Amino acid sequence: MGLLTKIILLLIPIGVGYIYLKVTKTDPIPHVEDAYWGPKSEQGKKEDTTIRPFKIDISAAVLDDLKTRLTRELDSDRLVTPLEGVGFGYGFNSIFLKTVGNHWLNKYDWRTREKLLNQYPHFKTKIGGLDIHFQHVKPKPKNGVAPRPLIVLHGYPGSIIEYQKIIPLLSEPKNSKYNYELIIPSLPGYGFSSGAARPGMGTVEMANIFKRLMDRLGHKKFYAIGGDWGAVITSDLATIYPDSVLGAHSANCVSLGVQGHLRNFLALTFRSIFASPEEEEHKWLSWGETFSFIVRESGYLHIQATKPDTVGTALTHSPLGLAAYIMEKFSTWTNRTWIDRDDGGLLEKFEMDELLDNVMVYWVTGSITTAQRLYSEGLIPWSGINVDDVPTNVPFDCHALSGDIIVVPKFAISHKFTNIKRYKVNAGGGHFGAFEIPSVIAADAVSFFDSL
Ligand SMILES: *[C@@H]1O[C@H](CO)[C@@H](O)[C@H](O)[C@H]1NC(C)=O
């Protein structure tokens, strides 16, 4: 036997052992401090803990400025003609972007949209030096039972807009014994919530902010729904405060830790061994397809995890640039085949006005830069506290949707969520489930919470 063969034979068991340890190891639950995230100049002052009513009421100056910019961008010839026949293949198609811009400038009426947004009450309160914004929908008791508190968390590039249609379906569901009291915050740095003044505000730290918010509202125990980053924050909430979270529903159950990635690799490579019965119907992409899809679609993630402020500067100054950058995701993340269409299939499942509402939340608050920073804080493993590989025993309902960017096999999350009550992969719907198919998601979440 040659030396090289001996070395290889020695390395194989070490590699297998390493993977085995990684896949089976569990970390303890860390303690998370109630930290201060505001500017240094305010630190140490007594925090005003009142909950203040808030109304979305954007000044005429901001709207006039937007109109001026949009007019100039649409009149100029600086938009570059797309290559022939590529649809959305090189990014947001600039011909369709003109359609979006013209609608925004001439048909979209912010004051009407603002009224719609204000039909459910908004509040702000200071937590850890940050102004935290949330919608609070408090229905009446049902059959003499007080509504059950439920926090609903959005992600990127979304906002509270994603949840406007699902509000009545969750707060006063028809086929349920209960009503649900909804708390729908803007994540720190997103929309109407202020961003941290220094590095470190990752998903665990956000979970801590929301635990403090629920405490302040008098809810020691509550239910949770989350999508995208909101799903990770929900999972972090359940992990660090297992006694507070009574149950959680997510269309994007995922484990971003080393174990999660390893298990995902194993499950996709040796499907016949690791597939759960619930996944049989789903058409998994091959490894090659998965890899090329991830490379094609994850450039934004790398930029935002490393240089969020650079691209943020451009996006904060150009409304058409911002719309293209945000709305592109609602195409490919809803249905990956729509990349071939000239309009990205955007109006297939969404209204132009509601897509623009979401862009407006970022535009009027100038929050795209602070929002993107979550990728720097949330994805770099050495920054801040990470509980991706710490298991949680809180009951979870994992409702994967087949049009999503990634569909995660049950095996790749079952070490993290040790009490998955239901797992399924549904054919209809993509990444923005509550926005795209609100009645399906609401019925699913409510039937799950009712069962607890
Ligand atoms: C994506 O769109 C194609 C073509 O319209 C359709 O056949 C397919 O079912 C859609 N996928 C999902 C997950 O909705």
Side-chain angles (χ1 to χ4, degrees):
M1 210 175 350
L3 182 63
L4 192 65
T5 319
K6 279 187 194 154
I7 292 176
I8 290 172
L9 282 180
L10 187 69
L11 284 179
I12 289 172
I14 292 177
V16 170
Y18 176 78
I19 291 175
Y20 179 78
L21 284 179
K22 273 290 178 201
V23 171
T24 52
K25 176 178 94 71
T26 56
D27 297 328
I29 299 172
H31 172 74
V32 182
E33 295 286 333
D34 287 351
Y36 174 82
W37 295 99
K40 278 240 160 61
S41 55
E42 305 274 309
Q43 192 160 10
K45 288 187 193 158
K46 194 170 159 10
E47 190 151 274
D48 171 9
T49 56
T50 52
I51 295 169
R52 296 160 278 138
F54 170 74
K55 222 176 120 195
I56 302 181
D57 182 13
I58 302 308
S59 74
V62 169
L63 300 179
D64 287 346
D65 170 70
L66 171 62
K67 200 169 170 185
T68 309
R69 286 175 197 261
L70 268 177
T71 308
R72 201 177 53 226
E73 290 183 9
L74 287 164
D75 285 349
S76 85
D77 53 6
R78 293 188 64 83
L79 274 182
V80 178
T81 312
L83 294 176
E84 288 171 10
V86 298
F88 265 47
Y90 280 62
F92 204 103
N93 187 297
S94 63
I95 296 174
F96 187 62
L97 186 57
K98 267 191 201 154
T99 307
V100 172
N102 280 318
H103 183 100
W104 199 355
L105 182 62
N106 301 312
K107 299 216 179 89
Y108 181 82
D109 178 22
W110 172 251
R111 291 301 178 208
T112 307
R113 307 304 294 174
E114 206 172 47
K115 258 195 215 117
L116 275 175
L117 289 178
N118 282 325
Q119 68 179 320
Y120 300 110
H122 298 254
F123 299 87
K124 278 189 179 186
T125 190
K126 268 246 158 44
I127 303 177
L130 303 181
D131 246 337
I132 298 299
H133 158 254
F134 59 100
Q135 266 181 313
H136 193 178
V137 183
K138 220 170 169 173
K140 289 198 187 71
K142 192 164 181 175
N143 311 321
V145 183
R148 296 166 137 193
L150 167 60
I151 190 167
V152 182
L153 297 167
H154 72 81
Y156 177 91
S159 62
I160 57 159
I161 299 298
E162 286 174 72
Y163 295 115
Q164 299 306 300
K165 285 178 295 193
I166 209 173
I167 287 175
L169 308 176
L170 287 176
S171 64
E172 299 183 69
K174 286 211 178 70
N175 302 314
S176 165
K177 282 180 286 186
Y178 305 100
N179 278 344
Y180 288 85
E181 174 182 338
L182 309 182
I183 294 94
I184 312 175
S186 299
L187 306 189
Y190 284 70
F192 303 97
S193 286
S194 53
R198 71 191 63 83
M201 176 59 86
T203 55
V204 169
E205 293 74 16
M206 287 191 184
N208 168 268
I209 296 278
F210 294 135
K211 169 74 168 76
R212 288 149 85 183
L213 173 64
M214 295 306 271
D215 277 349
R216 192 168 293 174
L217 294 170
H219 299 311
K220 294 278 171 221
K221 289 176 191 284
F222 51 89
Y223 299 85
I225 292 182
D228 191 87
W229 280 122
V232 181
I233 299 166
T234 297
S235 141
D236 290 352
L237 267 170
T239 308
I240 44 183
Y241 308 111
D243 298 333
S244 298
V245 183
L246 295 163
H249 175 280
S250 179
N252 322 107
C253 283
V254 63
S255 160
L256 297 172
V258 178
Q259 278 195 58
H261 292 308
L262 271 175
R263 283 170 164 262
N264 208 352
F265 176 81
L266 288 175
L268 291 179
T269 312
F270 308 104
R271 217 159 292 157
S272 54
I273 305 176
F274 295 107
S276 76
E278 299 98 320
E279 291 158 25
E280 266 161 21
E281 303 280 296
H282 182 62
K283 274 205 243 89
W284 294 95
L285 297 181
S286 72
W287 249 116
E289 286 167 331
T290 305
F291 184 73
S292 59
F293 183 72
I294 289 173
V295 170
R296 190 186 85 192
E297 296 302 328
S298 63
Y300 82 101
L301 183 145
H302 192 173
I303 291 178
Q304 293 173 194
T306 52
K307 312 283 180 214
D309 291 27
T310 306
V311 60
T313 304
L315 299 175
T316 309
H317 286 82
S318 160
L320 283 188
L322 183 70
Y325 197 75
I326 290 178
M327 284 167 70
E328 180 216 288
K329 300 297 175 230
F330 285 80
S331 164
T332 334
W333 293 7
T334 301
N335 188 318
R336 57 177 71 96
T337 71
W338 293 347
I339 195 166
D340 295 330
R341 300 198 191 176
D342 290 342
D343 62 358
L346 277 169
L347 303 181
E348 189 104 353
K349 297 287 188 80
F350 306 111
E351 309 259 333
M352 186 76 96
D353 277 357
E354 62 188 6
L355 289 168
L356 285 171
D357 289 344
N358 183 56
V359 176
M360 280 297 271
V361 166
Y362 284 87
W363 179 263
V364 299
T365 57
S367 61
I368 189 74
T369 305
T370 48
Q372 292 181 141
R373 287 182 189 152
L374 178 52
Y375 286 78
S376 312
E377 314 296 356
L379 285 177
I380 309 282
W382 51 85
S383 104
I385 301 172
N386 185 303
V387 294
D388 288 335
D389 282 333
V390 183
T392 171
N393 200 36
V394 165
F396 260 82
D397 184 20
C398 295
H399 186 171
L401 299 168
S402 59
D404 205 344
I405 2 170
I406 40 166
V407 175
V408 183
K410 192 177 182 185
F411 178 73
I413 49 173
S414 47
H415 64 298
K416 166 75 193 169
F417 307 101
T418 54
N419 191 7
I420 299 178
K421 293 282 185 207
R422 253 187 344 194
Y423 171 96
K424 62 181 168 186
V425 189
N426 256 35
H431 191 66
F432 305 96
F435 196 36
E436 184 190 346
I437 41 169
S439 51
V440 175
I441 298 295
D444 204 60
V446 166
S447 73
F448 169 65
F449 293 140
D450 277 7
S451 74
L452 298 175

